[in-house]
Amino acid sequence: MSEHQDKVPVPRATYRLQFRREFGFDDAAAVAAYVARLGVSHIYASPYLKARPGSTHGYDIVDHQSLNPELGDEQAFHRMVEAFRGNGLGQIMDFVPNHMGVGGADNPWWLDVLEWGPDSVYAGWYDIDWDPDRRYLEGKLLVPFLGDQYGAVLESGNFELRFDEETGSFAVWAYGSHKLPICPLHYARILGVEHPELERLGDSFSALPSWRPHVHRRARELQAELAQLAREQEDVRQAVTDALARLNGDSGNLESWRGLDDLIQEQHWRPAHFKVAADDINYRRFFNINELAGLRMELPELFDHAHEFAFKLLEDGTLDGLRIDHVDGLLDPKGYCQRLRERAPRPFYLVLEKILARHESLRSDWPVEGTTGYEFTNLVLGLFVDPDAEEAFTRAYQEFAGKARPFADMVRDCKLLIMENEMASELNVLARDAARVARQNPRTADFTRNILQRALKEIVACFPVYRTYVDGSEPRPEDRRDIDWAISQARRNERDLDPSVFDFLHKLMTGELVAQPRSGFSRQAAIRVAMRVQQYSGPVMAKGLEDTAFYRYNRFVALNEVGGHPDHFGLSPAAVHKANADRARDWPHTMLGTSTHDTKRGEDTRARLAALSEMAEEWTRRTHAWSRILRARRGDVEGTAPPDRNDEYLFYQLMIGAWPAELTGIGLPDADALKSYADRLEGAMMKSMREAKVHSTWAAPDTTYEDAMLGLVRDALDVSRPAFLEEFLPLQERVARFGVVNSLGQTLVKLTVPGVPDIYQGADMWELSLVDPDNRRPVDFNARSRLLDELEPRLENEPEAAFRELLEDWRNGTVKLALIRQVLKLRTQSAELFANGSYEPLRAEGERAEHVFAFARRLGSQISVTAVTRLPVRLEAAGGWGDTRLILPEGAELKDCILGRRIAADGQSVRAADLFAALPVALLATG
């Protein structure tokens, strides 16, 4: 927790906005009044610093010191800031310190590295291995952006040498979009001797080494001279054109490209097919994305440069806080956070994108307010999933899809798959560096790279967390615990390796190897390897777990969420209470999210599926019936033809979870009404198939299999043959109706438990999204603003009647909007209570007590009570609330802050039937 917690401008609630070309600064300014009227205190903005052109998310940043011009100019930015201020809104910015967008022609640092190689002033700012085992890359940077083999691209004419008339520089362009600068030392090869001025300049460029240490400055002077000559003298300009023509060949004639090929071979870059990256990449990437190159943010000069603009925005009050993207990608996350606090011009709100394992807690010595809330997303969902249904759903999945493998084993397999394919090169480098350390001491000199690579691969595959945080000081107990666990599991799995290999790696990874003087090992080298292993284990976990296993294990996909645990089916109220109380004690101002730009299902999609967890028997029966209908239509009576039944089982869950609310309960919709939904489903299934990497992949799509799956989707939604839809829609409507209860419950819990609630753009109404990019669709803020205009007088004058009507007509999502408005109104009026109040679980008594989840927040004489309905399907089946009562805090006179009524308490309790008569949720408060 921050040492300056009392000075930090902690938000009351945040609203996430996703910036992109279609939604820029002026668009954000236009929604400020609406967001403020909701009761939100801060805009939580996606990255808006300069990114690659056409970026849909802003995480491929190319300049930390400039605004993204696609979002608007500086004046538009200031209009947005003033609109926020004028509506009482602060701002939290999503900041990206781990990586930058590369490729293309937009990142000046990257282009300089390509031009000058290890001599570039920015060469050390990227995590580049200039001395790799692949000797053909010595002093070179692999550029794996080609869509085909290098020779094929060369022969086809998709490389072209060009002259920049403005700067006087030369570059090879791949596909007309990737700029690959030619090192000025080699300009003589291009300029030739045909023209005396070009011959003279060529000789000067060749003599650049004599200008050390001012080579770069002198090169720019010569380039400027060349540009001027080409502009002013027609014969020079023509000579340059002729020089380019001599090197640029003819499409289809490989021999004509030999001159350009020879020039390329001399450069500090080596263009290659994108698949080569898996084996030979020599720069750290964000996960396995070639176009995102890792930064060495631990370097003070890079840190200062990258944060200069953000700190100015903090200093002038534009920003109140930062959200740090992918903090686990940094070499030293704790040190980075400490430096942020030390260098920032004033105290600010600081949260981290950090995924925690079930047994893991955010480090208490990190000077931050908390995380962005992935753990809360899964916690609150677990409250509404029926734990008693696990066995039935496991059996249903096994019977339908034939899947019985434990999830943990699947995760290990997927992590191994990632390390053997997409991230093999990084593992090679780790093993090489570990072997170099081993050779420093006679006792370990015989540990070869191959042996260490096998051991490291198994250890990383068994890691129970994304990463540890060994930094050369005494490792914390939790780091030792997780390293001990991973190595003990690896020993069992790799019995062919000598145990001493694991002993060495254990000491290396914990820092014990160099903990004492005269160890015989270089401390710098050993700690560096330990910290690089940590940087590697996180991406492997992310790619293996979130982006592979989550798409293979389809038992109940509501649980397959970022930060989630698909093998843990639901949570008890006691477990949720404990987590909330712990948060109130340790991280009272952490962010709480239920939807983000990264969640794989929208919050209300998951809430529907949670309702489905109470219908295991009907779900089992229906899925078999649906499959028979669709497969019989294809003549697949045995049910063995593609798509496989695991993908089919996923499809049914996505379909029932994300079916449009406006198409619910209207009977058979027409084809036009289903078109947008069908396209979204096809996109989600395509991504799921390729991420699973079973039948198809992004790198090698199996279009035959994909067409079979997409054909099944189209058959299911074919209204001209409605047998499937007629069988599907009754269950869909029932699930959707109970899903409303869960949606309102998770919304109220998020808005009132300890922490800072975040509302993802559009999630102020039903958020029935599928995996990205579906969750980044445009939001109709004008419609929301009009609805709020209509709602506000009704909520002021007749709230109970309004909510009864809104719940009856729940399909348009207005009931959720109204709930958020009412709760944030109380949160605004009682800001200190919700920011710093205690957390007290409340109990219910009676025959349906398990269906009530309730707690109180208390600060002095101020008290609030949150009560929500859980497991509504079983509750209805049991005949309602019966004699169930909620026990209220002693001595509190409470008012219903949603419905505006006095609570008819009998002593210190209230009948659940009365409490939930109009809504399945209640918020009570003193005053």
Side-chain angles (χ1 to χ4, degrees):
M1 192 185 307
S2 170
E3 296 176 1
H4 310 288
Q5 191 76 64
D6 57 328
K7 300 178 183 177
V8 167
V10 176
R12 183 172 64 248
T14 61
Y15 194 100
R16 170 77 175 199
L17 291 179
Q18 289 293 128
F19 287 92
R20 59 192 183 283
R21 181 182 294 169
E22 299 79 12
F23 186 88
F25 299 136
D26 282 327
D27 300 293
V31 308
Y34 164 74
V35 172
R37 287 164 60 205
L38 273 184
V40 165
S41 67
H42 284 73
I43 293 293
Y44 166 29
S46 70
Y48 53 62
L49 301 184
K50 188 176 182 181
R52 294 274 308 271
S55 175
T56 60
H57 46 70
Y59 290 98
D60 44 1
I61 185 171
V62 296
D63 186 352
H64 290 87
Q65 301 216 13
S66 300
L67 297 167
N68 189 342
E70 293 190 343
L71 305 179
D73 58 19
E74 191 171 340
Q75 288 70 35
F77 178 73
H78 288 304
R79 287 194 295 270
M80 179 187 77
V81 172
E82 289 307 310
F84 290 168
R85 285 176 174 159
N87 285 279
L89 294 171
Q91 190 185 151
I92 312 296
M93 184 177 72
D94 196 340
F95 188 80
V96 187
N98 173 68
H99 54 266
M100 296 185 79
V102 297
D106 317 295
N107 187 326
W109 297 358
W110 185 256
L111 294 175
D112 196 80
V113 172
L114 293 176
E115 185 175 13
W116 294 102
D119 292 327
S120 167
V121 294
Y122 306 112
W125 289 16
Y126 294 100
D127 252 336
I128 300 171
D129 183 4
W130 295 107
D131 185 27
D133 282 356
R134 305 295 198 264
R135 302 320 296 172
Y136 81 97
L137 286 175
E138 183 176 6
K140 292 179 181 286
L141 183 59
L142 188 73
V143 183
F145 302 134
L146 304 185
D148 203 344
Q149 306 295 327
Y150 167 72
V153 177
L154 184 68
E155 184 176 11
S156 66
N158 280 312
F159 286 117
E160 181 186 7
L161 180 65
R162 298 180 185 175
F163 176 64
D164 187 324
E165 295 181 359
E166 293 297 318
T167 64
S169 61
F170 291 98
V172 172
W173 288 75
Y175 305 111
S177 59
H178 293 291
K179 182 179 181 180
L180 303 170
I182 299 297
C183 179
L185 296 175
H186 305 134
Y187 278 17
R189 289 181 59 93
I190 303 170
L191 298 174
V193 295
E194 303 300 319
H195 190 287
E197 289 288 355
L198 295 189
E199 180 184 15
R200 176 184 63 79
L201 279 173
D203 184 60
S204 297
F205 278 113
S206 297
L208 279 172
S210 65
W211 286 81
R212 287 190 176 98
H214 304 295
V215 172
H216 295 193
R217 189 193 69 192
R218 177 58 178 163
R220 297 299 179 240
E221 292 171 351
L222 292 173
Q223 288 171 331
E225 184 179 350
L226 175 59
Q228 183 176 357
L229 284 172
R231 282 195 302 270
E232 296 176 352
Q233 299 184 29
E234 174 62 31
D235 60 328
V236 172
R237 184 161 56 253
Q238 184 60 50
V240 171
T241 300
D242 294 342
L244 296 176
R246 287 194 295 271
L247 290 168
N248 288 322
D250 301 319
S251 178
N253 181 358
L254 181 61
E255 188 59 34
S256 67
W257 294 94
R258 292 298 181 189
L260 183 61
D261 179 41
D262 289 343
L263 180 64
I264 289 173
Q265 300 309 314
E266 292 186 351
Q267 302 313 304
H268 294 293
W269 40 266
R270 194 277 194 189
H273 188 244
F274 71 90
K275 292 183 180 180
V276 173
D279 291 326
D280 287 2
I281 196 78
N282 63 334
Y283 60 91
R284 182 173 64 86
R285 301 169 289 175
F286 173 74
F287 296 169
N288 61 342
I289 303 173
N290 297 342
E291 291 81 9
L292 296 176
L295 291 171
R296 297 181 62 200
M297 199 53 71
E298 67 273 16
L299 300 177
E301 63 275 15
L302 171 55
F303 178 96
D304 291 343
H305 183 93
H307 293 81
E308 181 179 353
F309 184 61
F311 284 171
K312 286 179 181 177
L313 297 181
L314 281 170
E315 187 172 26
D316 68 17
T318 298
L319 297 180
D320 280 334
L322 296 174
R323 177 261 199 195
I324 302 303
D325 179 65
H326 191 51
V327 73
D328 274 349
L330 301 174
L331 188 70
D332 179 14
K334 176 184 173 182
Y336 171 79
C337 294
Q338 289 173 330
R339 184 170 286 153
L340 273 178
R341 289 293 189 201
E342 293 165 359
R343 301 292 181 91
R346 67 182 178 97
F348 65 100
Y349 182 72
L350 177 59
V351 289
L352 311 175
E353 186 202 26
K354 164 66 185 161
I355 298 173
L356 298 165
R358 290 187 80 239
H359 67 279
E360 186 183 14
S361 300
L362 187 63
R363 300 303 168 88
S364 60
D365 59 341
W366 288 13
V368 302
E369 273 60 65
T371 72
T372 53
Y374 292 136
E375 65 278 7
F376 178 79
T377 300
N378 295 281
L379 177 81
V380 71
L381 173 70
L383 179 64
F384 299 99
V385 173
D386 186 359
D388 295 339
E390 180 169 15
E391 183 178 345
F393 265 81
T394 300
R395 185 168 58 251
Y397 182 43
Q398 291 173 353
E399 290 174 358
F400 189 97
K403 302 294 182 180
R405 198 137 189 267
F407 180 67
D409 291 349
M410 185 180 293
V411 172
R412 174 179 171 270
D413 287 349
C414 291
K415 290 169 75 174
L416 289 171
L417 178 71
I418 295 299
M419 288 187 282
E420 290 165 358
N421 293 281
E422 299 171 42
M423 299 188 71
S425 181
E426 291 89 343
L427 182 63
N428 291 338
V429 172
L430 285 176
R432 179 204 68 189
D433 291 348
R436 288 174 176 174
V437 172
R439 287 196 295 272
Q440 293 172 357
N441 192 307
R443 292 187 179 91
T444 56
D446 286 345
F447 293 147
T448 65
R449 186 179 71 171
N450 179 58
I451 289 172
L452 291 167
Q453 182 165 328
R454 287 174 57 188
L456 278 169
K457 182 168 70 173
E458 191 60 49
I459 291 168
V460 172
C462 295
F463 241 65
V465 292
Y466 278 70
R467 63 166 286 173
T468 50
Y469 301 94
V470 172
D471 59 5
S473 58
E474 176 67 22
R476 291 174 61 97
E478 49 265 55
D479 286 330
R480 281 195 173 275
R481 173 199 64 199
D482 293 328
I483 293 171
D484 290 351
W485 167 266
I487 289 182
S488 67
Q489 297 301 306
R491 287 181 192 271
R492 294 191 182 100
N493 295 334
E494 269 285 10
R495 295 184 179 274
D496 292 339
L497 292 179
D498 192 289
S500 61
V501 177
F502 291 105
D503 294 339
F504 167 71
L505 287 173
H506 184 276
K507 291 179 179 178
L508 178 66
M509 292 172 63
T510 60
E512 185 181 337
L513 193 70
V514 290
Q516 300 299 325
R518 297 187 296 278
S519 66
F521 298 97
S522 163
R523 175 178 173 78
Q524 290 291 326
I527 296 301
R528 178 81 177 170
V529 173
M531 296 177 78
R532 293 303 295 270
V533 170
Q534 295 172 153
Q535 278 186 298
Y536 180 66
S537 67
V540 170
M541 176 74 93
K543 295 302 298 180
L545 174 68
E546 298 168 39
D547 292 347
T548 308
F550 275 7
Y551 292 97
R552 293 184 178 187
Y553 186 77
N554 295 326
R555 179 181 67 165
F556 185 65
V557 298
L559 306 176
N560 295 23
E561 195 49 83
V562 180
H565 313 283
D567 50 344
H568 291 271
F569 207 96
L571 292 169
S572 68
V576 178
H577 280 311
K578 182 181 184 305
N580 288 337
D582 289 347
R583 188 184 326 110
R585 181 190 65 232
D586 299 330
W587 303 101
H589 301 142
T590 191
M591 188 175 279
L592 307 175
T594 41
S595 290
T596 75
H597 60 286
D598 281 329
T599 42
K600 299 187 185 299
R601 255 69 67 179
E603 60 191 57
D604 300 311
T605 304
R606 293 193 306 271
R608 283 187 182 177
L609 292 173
L612 182 66
S613 75
E614 301 182 66
M615 308 177 190
E617 184 178 339
E618 184 175 3
W619 168 251
T620 302
R621 185 174 68 254
R622 296 271 189 171
T623 51
H624 285 281
W626 299 339
S627 185
R628 284 194 297 271
I629 292 170
L630 292 177
R631 287 185 179 272
R633 198 177 285 179
R634 300 163 157 242
D636 179 23
V637 178
E638 299 297 323
T640 56
D644 83 11
R645 292 174 68 82
N646 190 43
D647 286 338
E648 183 184 355
Y649 199 67
L650 168 65
F651 166 62
Y652 296 143
Q653 292 179 73
L654 297 187
M655 192 167 170
I656 208 161
W659 184 269
E662 67 275 13
L663 300 183
T664 300
I666 65 169
L668 195 67
D670 62 49
D672 290 340
L674 278 176
K675 179 66 170 65
S676 173
Y677 179 57
D679 292 343
R680 292 170 52 214
L681 268 177
E682 289 187 26
M685 287 307 304
M686 180 72 79
K687 180 166 184 173
S688 299
M689 288 184 287
R690 293 184 177 182
E691 295 285 14
K693 306 171 187 69
V694 175
H695 299 289
S696 190
T697 66
W698 294 107
D702 184 335
T703 56
T704 301
Y705 179 84
E706 292 173 353
D707 288 344
M709 182 69 247
L710 299 183
L712 186 138
V713 173
R714 292 163 190 153
D715 286 346
L717 296 174
D718 185 352
V719 296
S720 68
R721 294 190 291 176
F724 170 82
L725 287 174
E726 289 172 348
E727 175 69 21
F728 168 80
L729 289 174
L731 179 60
Q732 182 277 321
E733 182 178 2
R734 188 160 175 254
V735 169
R737 179 167 57 87
F738 286 111
V740 171
V741 178
N742 291 340
S743 292
L744 298 179
Q746 81 173 351
T747 298
L748 179 57
V749 169
K750 177 180 73 172
L751 295 177
T752 55
V753 295
V756 176
D758 174 60
I759 301 168
Y760 182 70
Q761 65 169 32
D764 34 14
M765 297 176 71
W766 299 138
E767 218 292 82
L768 298 168
S769 292
L770 299 165
V771 69
D772 72 282
D774 191 59
N775 57 12
R776 304 181 195 184
R777 286 171 294 148
V779 176
D780 189 344
F781 286 106
N782 289 330
R784 282 165 168 74
S785 185
R786 289 192 299 270
L787 280 172
L788 196 55
D789 288 340
E790 297 168 6
L791 272 176
E792 285 182 326
R794 297 184 63 194
L795 294 176
E796 291 298 324
N797 300 319
E798 47 175 4
E800 184 168 355
F803 270 103
R804 287 182 183 273
E805 183 181 321
L806 293 172
L807 187 60
E808 180 69 23
D809 190 21
W810 59 266
R811 291 164 183 80
N812 62 14
T814 311
V815 65
K816 185 179 180 186
L817 179 67
L819 176 67
I820 292 171
R821 188 267 189 188
Q822 292 292 79
V823 178
L824 290 184
K825 178 182 177 183
L826 176 64
R827 193 167 179 123
T828 301
Q829 295 167 349
S830 305
E832 283 299 311
L833 169 65
F834 289 101
N836 299 309
S838 64
Y839 179 90
E840 303 171 11
L842 298 180
R843 62 187 175 87
E845 295 179 346
E847 53 192 329
R848 310 286 180 257
E850 67 170 329
H851 294 280
V852 180
F853 178 80
F855 58 87
R857 304 293 306 279
R858 189 191 298 267
L859 185 67
S861 61
Q862 286 187 295
I863 299 174
S864 73
V865 170
T866 295
V868 303
T869 303
R870 61 184 296 266
L871 307 181
V873 180
R874 283 171 43 189
L875 177 64
E876 183 179 271
W881 289 108
D883 65 354
T884 307
R885 307 184 73 85
L886 174 64
I887 309 303
L888 298 172
E890 289 189 19
E893 186 175 337
L894 301 169
K895 179 182 177 181
D896 188 324
C897 297
I898 299 174
L899 302 180
R901 57 178 182 162
R902 287 288 167 189
I903 298 303
D906 178 10
Q908 287 305 126
S909 68
V910 61
R911 293 178 66 242
D914 294 335
L915 187 65
F916 300 124
L919 277 178
V921 300
L923 176 62
L924 318 178
T926 53

